[in-house]
Amino acid sequence: MRKRRWFQFALASFLSTVALAISPQPPAAQDQAQVAAPKCNLIHAELPVAGLNDPTSSDPNKLTPVDASTKDMILKSGLPCEAINIPKGPNPATPSIANRQRGFDFYSWLTFIALNSPSGRPGEIASSRADTKALWEDGTMFKPLLDVMLPNEERPEWNKAVIPPACAKLHAEHPDRMVVKMIEESFNEPFKTGALIDQQNNYAIFDILMNHAMFDYIVAHKLHSRAGQASDENSSLRVDFPAGHHDKTGAGDPGAIMLKVSWRILTQQEIDENKFHRVEALVAMPEVPDETGTPPCLAKTLGLVGMHIVHKTAARPQWIWSSFEHADNVPEINDVQTRKLKPSYSFFDPSCLDENKCPFNATPPRPWDPEYAAELQFHKTADGKQFHSQIVRMTNLTDATNAINGKFQSILGDTVWTHYIMIGTQWPSSFPCTGDHSSGPDPKTDFDKQPDMNCAPAPTFLANSTLETFSQGSIPQASSSCMACHGNATSYLRRSASAANDPKEKFMNQSDFTFMLEKAR
């Protein structure tokens, strides 16, 4: 238990270099790491009267500035354990939901900065280069999903990375390279809606990771295997990952955090330009039914193009959903209509605006499975041409989103992170509903007590152009909404026969807003 708290506090702030070490330590070293770990980040969107790091006071007429006066504190204060949201704002005419949205967006940027700060060099994001390893890429802080959901009911170990046999030789030669293990969900978008292909005809690659708190919960409850999930001891379990929290002094715990990231293979020119955060990776291609032999392992330079950060907190047990993208991924529909386009994009060709020739947001021609011989190049079309996706963001970013993006980009100086933008933050806006969910050890998420287990997500729709490419829009139950989608996630848990007809046992949040548990083997 002491070790678990140590990791949670280390993630809460990332400011203690001692706390970043994962290798076993003697008890004295662990105690020192616990004491050295700083508090949760308490900065929030409304200007505190008693100081920037005081969540207990605020001036309703002022917003916390994001400029040179606050730069050091914002960049160095670490991870918020939960959002501090005060719905007043300087303009009484502004609806409270808009003020709250700014508060959650402020929190999202703080979280993005904390997680992408350099591993082993806390508080130095202002000096990050394109190839600087980020905190979340440090194997001591987050673990890939496929290193947890192992075959044959094997119990995963936090310190143990799983290297595919095809990558063994390359990994031995380059042990510092990131290992990306691909399955269908690594190239086929949610609900099997298709592959995303960049302008160089390469597949976009997706990966899912969890922090130590989630890992501990999964292992403790034997949720890493289907048999464990379906066991008698789990028949009455309501999956409830630990929630982030803090007190007014900043003491707290970040709780559960999951990440979904998207990558694309960079060209040499893009590597030289240093506009993408990049990693040297070993990519184990997925097993494909029609292919023979072992899927190859490829050495590739990957550039980060998308990032979901999903954080469960005591006040928001439906999690807070933060979404970021590279600014050069795609144009917005308004940019296309007004012809205000950049010279190039990762997933859009500005020289082909005829939708008859280059249909927007069209899924690629089947088959979608990668071919081993082609490595991660998509197959040619029937007429022998290369295919690339022509993606447009169908919902323009709001003026408020663009404004807060500009402010945070300004304090990131000339780092690679100025090339990334927040798409938005989705959060549960029905406060009585969230209160129901957060009372007691088990969230009340059944239809008898609360019809809307998602608690009115705001905004209603949120789509990342690289992670929900083909489900953008404004149609309920069809268009992308992080919470509406993940609220349907299930697991292999079963209820005991005696409880099957008990109305008190009608809870639907069996996997606590994550599809991770469905990947158990």
Side-chain angles (χ1 to χ4, degrees):
M1 179 61 71
R2 178 173 60 186
K3 189 173 183 180
R4 174 179 173 180
R5 287 197 301 268
W6 170 50
F7 281 111
Q8 290 170 337
F9 272 107
L11 179 57
S13 66
F14 79 99
L15 289 179
S16 171
T17 54
V18 177
L20 292 176
I22 186 69
S23 56
Q25 301 179 37
Q30 291 189 9
D31 291 339
Q32 181 183 4
Q34 278 189 288
V35 172
K39 299 175 182 178
C40 305
N41 186 344
L42 300 182
I43 302 173
H44 55 90
E46 198 161 290
L47 186 65
V49 176
L52 283 175
N53 221 21
D54 181 4
T56 63
S57 66
S58 63
D59 183 343
N61 298 311
K62 297 179 181 178
L63 295 175
T64 298
V66 183
D67 55 25
S69 67
T70 59
K71 174 181 175 179
D72 285 347
M73 178 165 284
I74 288 175
L75 298 185
K76 297 180 180 181
S77 291
L79 183 72
C81 291
E82 58 181 314
I84 301 171
N85 201 266
I86 302 172
K88 295 178 181 177
N91 186 351
T94 302
S96 64
I97 195 166
N99 291 321
R100 290 192 185 277
Q101 184 67 55
R102 185 186 190 278
F104 281 104
D105 290 344
F106 193 98
Y107 149 88
S108 290
W109 263 110
L110 293 179
T111 304
F112 182 79
I113 288 170
L115 293 180
N116 286 299
S117 290
S119 171
R121 292 194 289 113
E124 295 185 21
I125 193 170
S127 63
S128 290
R129 302 190 311 271
D131 61 351
T132 299
K133 180 184 288 188
L135 177 72
W136 66 269
E137 293 164 344
D138 185 330
T140 70
M141 308 309 292
F142 280 84
K143 195 167 185 68
L145 174 63
L146 295 183
D147 277 7
V148 180
M149 303 304 185
L150 303 177
N152 304 317
E153 300 182 49
E154 181 180 350
R155 181 186 176 93
E157 298 177 25
W158 183 259
N159 295 330
K160 183 179 179 180
V162 179
I163 309 301
C167 294
K169 184 175 183 297
L170 283 172
H171 184 260
E173 296 170 354
H174 307 283
D176 292 334
R177 290 192 178 183
M178 175 183 288
V179 178
V180 179
K181 296 176 285 295
M182 293 182 66
I183 53 177
E184 183 180 9
E185 287 81 358
S186 303
F187 68 88
N188 199 344
E189 297 225 9
F191 307 110
K192 302 182 186 296
T193 50
L196 176 62
I197 312 301
D198 70 13
Q199 296 299 295
Q200 280 69 48
N201 197 48
N202 291 316
Y203 283 85
I205 301 169
F206 315 119
D207 203 6
I208 299 170
L209 304 98
M210 68 183 72
N211 73 338
H212 208 297
M214 292 194 73
F215 174 86
D216 282 350
Y217 186 91
I218 287 172
V219 174
H221 292 284
K222 300 183 177 65
L223 302 177
H224 55 276
S225 71
R226 292 189 185 185
Q229 291 184 28
S231 65
D232 287 340
E233 63 184 294
N234 278 335
S235 62
S236 60
L237 175 69
R238 297 185 181 188
V239 177
D240 184 19
F241 287 100
H245 64 274
H246 64 243
D247 61 24
K248 63 182 181 180
T249 71
D253 186 324
I257 300 176
M258 52 185 168
L259 306 177
K260 186 172 184 181
V261 295
S262 51
W263 303 96
R264 55 172 290 258
I265 298 169
L266 298 183
T267 65
Q268 186 58 53
Q269 179 180 344
E270 290 167 330
I271 294 172
D272 294 339
E273 289 174 344
N274 290 318
K275 292 178 65 176
F276 291 84
H277 171 65
R278 66 178 187 266
V279 297
E280 297 300 323
L282 303 178
V283 183
M285 287 185 64
E287 293 185 359
V288 176
D290 295 334
E291 294 274 3
T292 58
T294 302
C297 182
L298 311 172
K300 297 290 185 182
T301 302
L302 304 180
L304 184 69
V305 291
M307 187 175 193
H308 279 327
I309 307 169
V310 193
H311 188 185
K312 182 174 181 177
T313 70
R316 298 290 178 271
Q318 304 78 15
W319 307 63
I320 302 171
W321 307 75
S322 308
S323 189
F324 288 80
E325 289 190 35
H326 195 278
D328 293 341
N329 279 351
V330 302
E332 295 183 345
I333 185 62
N334 186 59
D335 298 328
V336 176
Q337 292 169 343
T338 60
R339 299 298 193 264
K340 294 180 179 179
L341 298 169
K342 297 179 180 180
S344 64
Y345 298 90
S346 291
F347 304 100
F348 183 85
D349 180 2
S351 69
C352 188
L353 299 179
D354 184 346
E355 286 201 67
N356 293 317
K357 295 180 179 179
C358 303
F360 298 166
N361 300 336
T363 55
R366 292 179 182 271
W368 293 337
D369 293 335
E371 299 172 354
Y372 293 176
E375 299 188 339
L376 287 167
Q377 283 264 303
F378 193 69
H379 66 82
K380 293 183 178 179
T381 59
D383 57 2
K385 296 180 179 179
Q386 287 189 334
F387 175 87
H388 50 75
S389 299
Q390 188 76 339
I391 306 303
V392 176
R393 184 178 298 114
M394 300 307 295
T395 302
N396 299 314
L397 300 189
T398 66
D399 290 342
T401 301
N402 285 324
I404 198 169
N405 284 344
K407 289 181 180 295
F408 276 92
Q409 287 170 327
S410 70
I411 65 170
L412 286 166
D414 58 357
T415 71
V416 70
W417 301 110
T418 61
H419 298 289
Y420 290 82
I421 56 175
M422 180 187 65
I423 302 304
T425 312
Q426 194 174 58
W427 49 283
S429 67
S430 175
F431 280 40
C433 171
T434 59
D436 286 344
H437 281 242
S438 59
S439 62
D442 297 321
K444 299 177 180 179
T445 52
D446 61 89
F447 282 124
D448 293 334
K449 301 184 186 72
Q450 179 57 58
D452 176 18
M453 66 172 291
N454 301 314
C455 297
T460 306
F461 303 104
L462 180 64
N464 187 298
S465 72
T466 66
L467 295 168
E468 295 92 18
T469 308
F470 307 114
S471 56
Q472 301 183 70
S474 57
I475 302 173
Q477 307 304 316
S479 301
S480 179
S481 167
C482 303
M483 294 167 63
C485 173
H486 281 256
N488 296 317
T490 58
S491 65
Y492 295 97
L493 273 72
R494 63 176 176 81
R495 280 177 289 217
S496 62
S498 62
N501 297 316
D502 185 348
K504 294 182 180 180
E505 294 300 315
K506 289 181 181 178
F507 62 92
M508 65 173 292
N509 193 13
Q510 283 189 297
S511 66
D512 197 5
F513 289 87
T514 175
F515 289 99
M516 285 184 176
L517 301 186
E518 294 183 9
K519 303 314 297 180
R521 291 187 273 178

